[in-house]
Amino acid sequence: MGIELWETLKEAITVYTGLSPATFFTVVALSLAFYHAVFGLFGSSSSANQRNLRSIEQQIENIQSPVQLGEITEDELKQFDGSDNTKPLLMAIKGQIYDVSQSRMFYGPGGPYALFAGKDASRALAKMSFEDKDLTGDISGLGPFELEALQDWEYKFMSKYVTVGTIKKDASVSDGSSPSELFEGAKVTTAEVPKQEEDGPSEVPAGDTVE
């Protein structure tokens, strides 16, 4: 009975596939091996993709939640120039520090504006200069057109990026701000200023001499 079934199966394989029984079973075996190989490959790739996806989501979360730094010095700002991927990418305009991590392709290492990162680049932006001497927050001596260009940059940053801190100023002021801006709220009363006598200095009577 078993031999007859086997003979019938071989005849069916030959009729319906045109292959010999040996060739047919070889093809089936190779197909199964190929299936398991492909399944294993895509299965491991899927796990790797999930890990990469979680990593990207974590990076996006870090970008969306900027860390507030408060008041820091210019030297402390330099460590946020993009050279350390674990730290946010920061730059400053007129003493205000902005998180520009979302534009790393522009301000990060290798970007066209990478030299501005980690610095107060007010003067350089106003003059559209890429010289080291202009990478400073000192805007004294700038002309009206340069100050207007700087204001445009400031408005752009205020609308696009999050402010995360300010730069600690030295005692000497060199940013070109007007006295009203620098000393806002500090009011000098007339009591603090020596009052000149209304009648002026006493006059020496005519004809008298001063000994």
Side-chain angles (χ1 to χ4, degrees):
M1 181 69 179
I3 296 176
E4 292 178 358
L5 182 60
W6 171 245
E7 291 296 334
T8 303
L9 180 60
K10 287 195 297 181
E11 291 178 1
I13 291 173
T14 303
V15 170
Y16 288 105
T17 65
L19 302 174
S20 65
T23 304
F24 174 79
F25 287 111
T26 300
V27 171
V28 171
L30 291 174
S31 299
L32 291 174
F34 179 77
Y35 170 79
H36 285 291
V38 171
F39 179 79
L41 179 63
F42 280 95
S44 59
S45 177
S46 177
S47 299
N49 289 337
Q50 289 179 358
R51 288 193 297 269
N52 292 335
L53 181 61
R54 284 195 295 268
S55 176
I56 294 173
E57 289 175 348
Q58 183 64 37
Q59 293 178 8
I60 293 175
E61 182 178 352
N62 293 336
I63 292 176
Q64 292 177 344
S65 304
V67 177
Q68 294 295 323
L69 300 177
E71 191 177 44
I72 62 175
T73 65
E74 290 189 14
D75 287 337
E76 292 171 331
L77 179 60
K78 292 178 181 178
Q79 62 182 305
F80 300 99
D81 61 356
S83 56
D84 186 348
N85 289 329
T86 63
K87 295 179 180 179
L89 183 63
L90 309 179
M91 65 175 290
I93 296 179
K94 296 174 67 174
Q96 297 294 315
I97 303 172
Y98 299 91
D99 188 330
V100 296
S101 300
Q102 68 189 71
S103 299
R104 187 173 291 270
M105 63 181 298
F106 294 105
Y107 299 101
Y113 303 116
L115 73 168
F116 298 153
K119 303 179 184 70
D120 187 328
S122 298
R123 192 176 191 86
L125 291 173
K127 300 176 65 176
M128 283 310 298
S129 169
F130 293 92
E131 298 184 16
D132 290 339
K133 66 179 182 179
D134 292 323
L135 295 175
T136 174
D138 180 11
I139 59 174
S140 59
L142 295 178
F145 293 106
E146 293 170 331
L147 292 174
E148 183 178 357
L150 178 60
Q151 189 175 54
D152 290 341
W153 277 103
E154 185 178 18
Y155 287 156
K156 174 184 176 181
F157 272 61
M158 290 172 62
S159 63
K160 185 174 182 179
Y161 305 115
V162 177
T163 304
V164 295
T166 57
I167 293 180
K168 187 181 297 183
K169 290 293 183 182
D170 296 332
S172 59
V173 177
S174 60
D175 62 355
S177 299
S178 63
S180 60
E181 293 173 336
L182 296 173
F183 304 103
E184 183 178 1
K187 298 179 180 179
V188 180
T189 63
T190 56
E192 296 171 334
V193 181
K195 184 177 181 181
Q196 185 178 0
E197 295 183 9
E198 296 178 359
D199 298 333
S202 59
E203 298 179 358
V204 179
D208 291 350
T209 60
V210 180
E211 297 181 356

